Coordinates of all heavy atoms in Angstrom, one line a residue:
L404 N -16.2 -20.0 -53.9 CA -16.8 -19.3 -55.0 C -18.3 -19.4 -54.8 O -18.8 -20.4 -54.4 CB -16.3 -19.8 -56.4 CG -14.8 -19.9 -56.6 CD1 -14.5 -20.6 -57.9 CD2 -14.2 -18.5 -56.6
G405 N -19.0 -18.3 -55.3 CA -20.3 -18.3 -55.5 C -20.8 -18.8 -57.0 O -20.1 -19.5 -57.5
D406 N -21.9 -18.3 -57.3 CA -22.4 -18.6 -58.7 C -21.5 -17.9 -59.7 O -21.2 -16.7 -59.6 CB -23.8 -18.1 -58.9 CG -24.9 -18.9 -58.1 OD1 -24.6 -20.1 -58.0 OD2 -25.8 -18.3 -57.6
L407 N -21.1 -18.8 -60.7 CA -20.2 -18.3 -61.8 C -20.9 -18.6 -63.1 O -21.4 -19.7 -63.4 CB -18.8 -19.0 -61.7 CG -18.0 -18.8 -60.5 CD1 -16.8 -19.7 -60.6 CD2 -17.6 -17.3 -60.3
D408 N -20.9 -17.7 -64.0 CA -21.3 -17.8 -65.4 C -20.1 -18.3 -66.1 O -19.0 -18.5 -65.6 CB -21.9 -16.6 -66.0 CG -21.0 -15.4 -66.0 OD1 -19.7 -15.5 -66.0 OD2 -21.5 -14.2 -66.0
E409 N -20.2 -18.7 -67.4 CA -19.1 -19.2 -68.2 C -18.0 -18.3 -68.3 O -16.8 -18.7 -68.1 CB -19.6 -19.7 -69.5 CG -18.6 -20.5 -70.3 CD -19.2 -21.0 -71.7 OE1 -20.4 -20.7 -71.9 OE2 -18.4 -21.5 -72.5
G410 N -18.2 -17.0 -68.5 CA -17.1 -16.1 -68.6 C -16.3 -15.9 -67.3 O -15.1 -16.0 -67.4
Q411 N -17.1 -16.0 -66.3 CA -16.4 -15.7 -65.0 C -15.7 -17.0 -64.6 O -14.6 -17.0 -63.9 CB -17.4 -15.4 -63.9 CG -18.1 -14.1 -64.0 CD -19.3 -13.9 -63.1 OE1 -19.7 -14.8 -62.5 NE2 -20.0 -12.7 -63.2
A412 N -16.2 -18.2 -65.0 CA -15.5 -19.4 -64.7 C -14.2 -19.5 -65.5 O -13.1 -20.1 -65.1 CB -16.4 -20.6 -65.1
V413 N -14.2 -19.0 -66.7 CA -13.0 -19.0 -67.6 C -11.9 -18.1 -66.9 O -10.8 -18.4 -66.8 CB -13.2 -18.4 -68.9 CG1 -11.9 -18.2 -69.8 CG2 -14.2 -19.4 -69.8
T414 N -12.3 -16.9 -66.4 CA -11.3 -16.0 -65.7 C -10.9 -16.7 -64.4 O -9.5 -16.6 -64.3 CB -12.1 -14.7 -65.2 OG1 -12.6 -14.0 -66.4 CG2 -11.3 -13.8 -64.4
V415 N -11.7 -17.4 -63.7 CA -11.1 -18.2 -62.4 C -10.2 -19.3 -62.9 O -9.2 -19.5 -62.3 CB -12.2 -18.6 -61.6 CG1 -11.8 -19.5 -60.5 CG2 -13.1 -17.4 -61.1
G416 N -10.6 -20.0 -64.1 CA -9.7 -21.0 -64.5 C -8.4 -20.6 -64.9 O -7.4 -21.3 -64.7
R417 N -8.1 -19.4 -65.4 CA -6.9 -18.9 -65.7 C -5.9 -18.6 -64.5 O -4.7 -18.6 -64.6 CB -7.0 -17.5 -66.5 CG -7.6 -17.7 -67.9 CD -7.8 -16.4 -68.5 NE -8.4 -16.5 -69.8 CZ -8.9 -15.5 -70.6 NH1 -8.8 -14.3 -70.1 NH2 -9.4 -15.7 -71.7
M418 N -6.6 -18.5 -63.3 CA -5.7 -18.3 -62.1 C -4.9 -19.5 -61.7 O -3.9 -19.5 -61.0 CB -6.6 -18.0 -60.9 CG -7.4 -16.7 -61.1 SD -8.5 -16.4 -59.6 CE -9.5 -15.0 -60.2
R419 N -5.3 -20.7 -62.4 CA -4.6 -21.9 -62.1 C -3.2 -21.9 -62.6 O -2.3 -22.6 -62.1 CB -5.3 -23.1 -62.8 CG -4.7 -24.4 -62.8 CD -4.6 -24.9 -61.2 NE -4.0 -26.3 -61.2 CZ -2.8 -26.6 -61.3 NH1 -1.9 -25.5 -61.3 NH2 -2.3 -27.7 -61.2
Q420 N -2.8 -20.9 -63.6 CA -1.7 -21.0 -64.3 C -0.4 -20.5 -63.3 O 0.7 -20.9 -63.5 CB -1.6 -20.1 -65.5 CG -2.7 -20.5 -66.6 CD -2.8 -19.5 -67.7 OE1 -2.2 -18.5 -67.7 NE2 -3.7 -19.8 -68.7
S421 N -0.8 -19.7 -62.3 CA 0.3 -19.1 -61.5 C 0.4 -19.9 -60.2 O 1.0 -19.5 -59.3 CB 0.0 -17.7 -61.2 OG -1.3 -17.6 -60.5
T422 N -0.3 -21.1 -60.1 CA -0.3 -21.9 -58.8 C 0.2 -23.2 -59.1 O 0.2 -23.7 -60.2 CB -1.7 -22.0 -58.3 OG1 -2.5 -22.6 -59.2 CG2 -2.2 -20.5 -58.0
N423 N 0.6 -23.9 -58.1 CA 1.1 -25.2 -58.1 C -0.2 -26.2 -58.1 O -0.2 -27.1 -59.0 CB 2.0 -25.6 -56.9 CG 2.7 -26.9 -57.1 OD1 2.5 -27.5 -58.1 ND2 3.5 -27.2 -56.1
K424 N -1.1 -26.0 -57.2 CA -2.3 -26.7 -57.2 C -3.4 -25.8 -56.8 O -3.2 -24.8 -56.2 CB -2.3 -27.8 -56.2 CG -1.2 -29.0 -56.5 CD -1.2 -30.0 -55.3 CE -0.2 -31.0 -55.6 NZ 1.2 -30.5 -55.6
A425 N -4.7 -26.0 -57.3 CA -5.8 -25.2 -57.1 C -7.0 -26.1 -56.7 O -7.3 -27.1 -57.5 CB -6.0 -24.3 -58.3
V426 N -7.7 -25.6 -55.7 CA -8.9 -26.4 -55.2 C -10.0 -25.4 -55.1 O -9.8 -24.3 -54.6 CB -8.7 -27.1 -53.8 CG1 -10.0 -27.9 -53.5 CG2 -7.6 -28.0 -54.0
A427 N -11.2 -25.7 -55.5 CA -12.2 -24.7 -55.5 C -13.5 -25.4 -54.8 O -13.8 -26.6 -55.2 CB -12.7 -24.2 -57.0
F428 N -14.2 -24.7 -54.1 CA -15.5 -25.1 -53.5 C -16.5 -24.1 -53.9 O -16.5 -22.9 -53.5 CB -15.4 -25.2 -51.9 CG -14.3 -26.0 -51.3 CD1 -13.0 -25.6 -51.0 CD2 -14.6 -27.4 -51.3 CE1 -12.1 -26.4 -50.5 CE2 -13.5 -28.3 -50.8 CZ -12.4 -27.8 -50.4
C429 N -17.5 -24.5 -54.7 CA -18.4 -23.7 -55.4 C -19.7 -23.8 -54.6 O -20.4 -24.7 -54.5 CB -18.7 -24.1 -56.8 SG -17.3 -23.9 -57.9
C430 N -20.1 -22.6 -53.9 CA -21.3 -22.5 -53.1 C -22.5 -22.0 -54.0 O -23.1 -21.1 -53.8 CB -21.1 -21.6 -52.0 SG -19.7 -21.9 -51.0
A431 N -22.7 -22.8 -55.1 CA -23.7 -22.3 -56.0 C -25.1 -22.7 -55.5 O -25.2 -23.7 -54.7 CB -23.5 -23.0 -57.4
A432 N -26.2 -22.0 -56.0 CA -27.5 -22.5 -55.6 C -27.9 -23.8 -56.1 O -27.5 -24.2 -57.3 CB -28.6 -21.4 -56.1
A433 N -28.5 -24.6 -55.2 CA -28.9 -25.9 -55.6 C -30.0 -25.9 -56.8 O -31.0 -25.1 -56.8 CB -29.5 -26.7 -54.5
T434 N -29.9 -26.9 -57.8 CA -30.8 -26.9 -58.8 C -32.0 -27.9 -58.5 O -31.9 -28.6 -57.4 CB -30.1 -27.4 -60.1 OG1 -29.5 -28.7 -59.9 CG2 -29.0 -26.4 -60.5
A435 N -33.0 -28.0 -59.3 CA -34.1 -28.8 -59.0 C -33.6 -30.3 -59.1 O -34.1 -31.1 -58.3 CB -35.2 -28.5 -60.0
A436 N -32.7 -30.6 -60.1 CA -32.2 -31.9 -60.1 C -31.4 -32.4 -58.8 O -31.5 -33.5 -58.3 CB -31.3 -32.1 -61.3

Side-chain angles (χ1 to χ4, degrees):
L404 307 171
D406 287 328
L407 299 174
D408 57 26
E409 186 175 358
Q411 295 167 355
V413 171
T414 301
V415 176
R417 293 174 180 173
M418 300 179 186
R419 174 68 176 84
Q420 301 173 0
S421 61
T422 62
N423 192 0
K424 294 181 182 64
V426 179
F428 301 98
C429 298
C430 308
T434 61

